[in-house]
């Protein structure tokens, strides 16, 4: 049986340079590859990898339509909150939830929802 080895979200955008800038300058990712001629980039932070690209002709695209969120776990959600709360469009402030997670959510420059959470000890 084949084993899955990674999940690397591909974010469609019409503003590739702006997306690279948001993830690197605001969230602290490192841009590993930027292929401007192909309209594609990848970025990484602490082993979390994401990609962004200009939509190709096979995929209809006017604006991001992803209806979920990208949920990223961390070992210090409060530190991330303090670092990013004044730099991003916030969906909801940091909060401890009854299901055992402390988390907050923000929107990237395209409108994609990013949630950051940390499991807490009860």
């Amino acid at each position: 049986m084949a084993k899955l080895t990674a999940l690397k979200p591909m974010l469609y955008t019409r503003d590739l340079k702006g997306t690279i800038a948001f993830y690197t300058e605001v969230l602290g990712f490192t841009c590993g590859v930027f292929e401007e001629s192909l309209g594609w980039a990848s970025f990484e932070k602490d082993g979390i990898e994401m990609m962004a690209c200009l939509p190709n002709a096979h995929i209809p695209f006017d604006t991001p339509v992803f209806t979920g969120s990208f949920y990223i776990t961390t070992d210090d959600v409060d530190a991330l909150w303090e670092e990013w709360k004044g730099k991003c469009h916030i969906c909801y402030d940091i909060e401890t939830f009854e299901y055992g997670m402390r988390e907050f959510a923000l929107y990237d420059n395209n409108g994609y929802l990013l949630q950051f959470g940390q499991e807490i000890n009860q």
Side-chain angles (χ1 to χ4, degrees):
M1 187 77 154
K3 178 180 146 188
L4 302 178
T5 61
L7 174 65
K8 300 177 186 179
M10 176 72 77
L11 308 177
Y12 296 131
T13 181
R14 294 222 182 272
D15 183 10
L16 188 56
K17 288 182 180 179
T19 300
I20 293 168
F22 178 83
Y23 281 87
T24 58
E25 296 169 16
V26 177
L27 300 186
F29 280 69
T30 300
C31 184
V33 179
F34 174 38
E35 294 288 343
E36 190 167 13
S37 64
L38 299 175
W40 178 82
S42 68
F43 25 91
E44 182 272 337
K45 180 179 176 76
D46 303 325
I48 301 297
E49 296 179 63
M50 301 182 81
M51 299 179 285
C53 72
L54 301 172
N56 67 41
H58 304 289
I59 301 168
F61 181 84
D62 292 316
T63 187
V65 293
F66 184 73
T67 59
S69 68
F70 297 98
Y71 196 98
I72 302 168
T73 58
T74 177
D75 64 355
D76 194 345
V77 72
D78 289 287
L80 293 180
W81 171 251
E82 289 301 320
E83 181 179 348
W84 296 338
K85 68 182 178 183
K87 298 178 183 177
C88 302
H89 177 210
I90 300 299
C91 175
Y92 62 87
D93 293 350
I94 195 160
E95 184 176 343
T96 300
F97 291 91
E98 62 187 40
Y99 47 83
M101 294 298 289
R102 182 158 173 80
E103 63 189 46
F104 68 93
L106 58 87
Y107 296 99
D108 80 354
N109 65 303
N110 300 290
Y112 291 109
L113 182 60
L114 307 175
Q115 291 176 273
F116 295 89
Q118 179 179 5
E119 189 172 349
I120 57 169
N121 297 325
Q122 297 294 341

